Amino acid sequence: MAASIEVLADIETRRRPVGDALKDWGLSHRFAGSGDRAAIGNIVYDVLRRKRSLAWRLDDPSPRALVFGAVLDSSGLDEKGLALALEGDRFAPEMISADDLAGYRTREIAQAPDAVRADVPDWIGPHLAEAFGEDWVEEAAALGERPPLDMRANTLRADRDKVARALEPFAPQPSPIAPQGLRIAPIAGDGRHPNVQVEAGFQKGWFEIQDEGSQIVAALTGVAPGEQVLDYCAGAGGKTLALAAAMENTGQIHAYDSDRQRLAPIHERLKRAEVRNVQVHAPRDDLSEHRGRMDLVLVDAPCTGTGTWRRRPDAKWRLSEQALERRVVEQREALAGAAAFVKPGGRLAYVTCSLLPAENEAQVEAFLTAQPDFALLDVAATWATVFPEAPPAFLSRPHKEGTTLTLTPRTSGTDGFFLALFTRR
């Protein structure tokens, strides 16, 4: 708890990412074991996920108060039990007073303002209300829960049952929707997820760490063996790998990104997964020969990442309206650039890990206005074809002749993702 208070104060003072603050703390406190570091990380992330609601209940936004509130919430201890646990430990913070805890005991979160119950900055509230209507507070609050650890079996090297057997000590379960997905339940108490990347199965390329929502949107693109595909914002290659497996290592995927640093990890990942149908293009490469020739172009657009706040809760407190405006411009440019590569009858998939309409539905409308030779497909209807045994665990909106699809922690148990699928007339 003392270390968590220290880390949170560092984040608040220096406005730095939580990962950097935790790493620096670990480097300067090398005596701390892996269990200690995991417990500290859990507390810090719990605070960041529910910072506003904890501060409102305690009537105190200080790191010390927030840590006590988060620990009381997650540990199962009451005030007396926590005081007893801290008693006699010279490193422990002094127990918070009964007066300071009065609000924690008596204040009903249901009486708090909407943005407090949602645990988001005030300015985000109207954007989420536009996205989800009356359910926006509940949708946002679900982003404050601990996430599971999701993986995708790489069918080029193994099937899901084989991966499950290899990871049996960690009790992975089949994902609810994605047919090659496996899930390890969210962390309970001060536990931690296993480091599956050191497992032999991972080193052999049998599976990748990938949120189930990302697996779902990759499958809904309808990619098929033998196709010509351009992953226009490939980044580290998570969706590239999923597409390659679905294509059974046939056809050709061109993986491109405008940022060389984002693209760097893809080479090692392709090698480990034994993917042979991907050609990686550096930012300065000339792609003009591929214009108008692609069966599928995937635009996994740069975005605010609001759908990933379960895993990156510090990002929601750093996000600004100016950053949103910049992302909207970048997305519009990426869509316009990618459209030129789609052949007649081909598909253009627009994906974000955002839940904000300015990055999603508004971009669809703007694109259709600017590109009259494209039409929006009914991706919600595609769900039943791709996932015939899964319930329709998504939100959908009609746009002219087609629909868009949104996944959220509340509706699908995944990170937040948005998908629009266009076809070139």
Side-chain angles (χ1 to χ4, degrees):
M1 289 175 68
S4 300
I5 294 168
E6 185 180 336
V7 171
L8 287 162
D10 180 37
I11 294 170
E12 188 176 284
T13 302
R14 300 168 64 184
R15 294 185 62 80
R16 60 204 304 246
V18 60
D20 292 350
L22 286 167
K23 181 179 179 181
D24 283 358
W25 187 92
L27 290 172
S28 60
H29 298 79
R30 293 183 182 275
F31 59 84
S34 59
D36 292 330
R37 293 196 299 272
I40 293 163
N42 286 343
I43 296 171
V44 169
Y45 274 86
D46 282 346
V47 166
L48 293 171
R49 290 185 183 109
R50 297 179 288 116
K51 186 165 75 169
R52 286 203 76 180
S53 59
L54 287 170
W56 186 86
R57 289 167 64 195
L58 289 154
D59 198 22
D60 184 350
S62 70
R64 180 172 177 272
L66 297 175
V67 164
F68 272 92
V71 170
L72 285 167
D73 271 359
S74 66
S75 67
L77 295 172
D78 59 15
E79 299 160 39
K80 291 181 179 178
L82 181 56
L84 186 63
L86 299 178
E87 188 177 341
D89 188 330
R90 65 189 179 92
F91 297 107
E94 182 181 352
M95 180 63 191
I96 195 168
S97 72
D99 288 342
D100 290 336
L101 280 170
Y104 176 83
R105 289 193 300 265
T106 60
R107 299 187 88 179
E108 291 290 338
I109 193 64
Q111 305 303 316
D114 286 347
V116 172
R117 290 190 293 126
D119 269 304
V120 297
D122 287 333
W123 73 269
I124 287 284
H127 291 274
L128 294 174
E130 181 186 352
F132 301 115
E134 294 180 355
D135 294 334
W136 80 268
V137 172
E138 289 75 17
E139 288 285 356
L143 290 164
E145 302 297 326
R146 292 179 175 182
L149 174 61
D150 286 349
M151 295 157 288
R152 176 185 57 81
N154 173 23
T155 51
L156 300 176
R157 300 282 289 121
D159 59 28
R160 183 163 67 174
D161 289 343
K162 183 176 182 178
V163 176
R165 288 193 298 271
L167 298 176
E168 188 174 3
F170 311 125
Q173 298 298 314
S175 296
I177 300 166
Q180 299 303 329
L182 285 166
R183 170 168 291 181
I184 296 174
I187 295 167
D190 62 355
R192 53 178 168 160
H193 276 142
N195 182 9
V196 295
Q197 290 177 296
V198 302
E199 295 295 313
F202 181 83
Q203 300 297 326
K204 295 175 182 178
W206 292 358
F207 67 92
E208 292 287 331
I209 297 173
Q210 185 177 23
D211 181 79
E212 187 183 17
S214 181
Q215 299 177 48
I216 289 169
V217 296
L220 287 171
T221 64
V223 72
E227 288 193 319
Q228 293 293 310
V229 176
L230 171 61
D231 190 347
Y232 194 69
C233 304
K239 293 184 182 64
T240 305
L241 292 167
L243 296 176
M247 294 167 66
E248 300 172 2
N249 250 345
T250 65
Q252 181 79 60
I253 301 176
H254 301 273
Y256 168 82
D257 199 283
S258 61
D259 187 321
R260 187 182 299 275
Q261 187 170 350
R262 279 200 304 261
L263 195 61
I266 197 172
H267 300 281
E268 179 59 33
R269 296 182 74 183
L270 292 171
K271 181 180 179 182
R272 187 179 63 248
E274 293 195 358
V275 170
R276 297 186 296 275
N277 66 336
V278 173
Q279 182 178 347
V280 180
H281 296 273
R284 291 189 294 271
D285 286 0
D286 182 7
L287 299 180
S288 59
E289 66 175 295
H290 304 295
R291 289 178 179 270
R293 298 178 60 183
M294 296 293 111
D295 297 293
L296 170 67
V297 177
L298 171 64
V299 181
D300 191 2
C303 68
T304 57
T306 50
T308 66
W309 279 349
R310 295 188 304 174
R311 304 179 194 280
R312 300 177 60 241
D314 56 318
K316 67 179 165 182
W317 309 116
R318 295 198 312 272
L319 183 62
S320 67
E321 293 180 85
Q322 292 74 27
L324 172 59
E325 291 168 0
R326 288 194 298 271
R327 287 291 185 245
V328 167
V329 172
E330 293 167 357
Q331 291 155 3
R332 195 162 297 179
E333 291 174 348
L335 263 175
F341 295 93
V342 183
K343 75 178 187 181
R347 307 178 309 287
L348 172 64
Y350 175 67
V351 176
T352 74
C353 53
S354 172
L355 300 176
L356 305 185
E359 300 181 89
N360 297 336
E361 290 87 356
Q363 295 287 26
V364 170
E365 294 290 352
F367 178 77
L368 291 172
T369 299
Q371 303 276 354
D373 55 334
F374 280 83
L376 186 68
L377 296 173
D378 188 354
V379 69
T382 304
W383 178 284
T385 303
V386 178
F387 308 115
E389 298 180 5
F394 56 85
L395 303 171
S396 180
R397 282 191 178 181
H399 291 263
K400 297 183 179 178
E401 64 268 50
T403 60
T404 61
L405 181 142
T406 302
L407 305 173
T408 72
R410 182 170 179 251
T411 58
S412 55
T414 69
D415 283 354
F417 279 94
F418 173 85
L419 171 63
L421 195 59
F422 308 93
T423 185
R424 189 165 207 160
R425 302 181 196 276

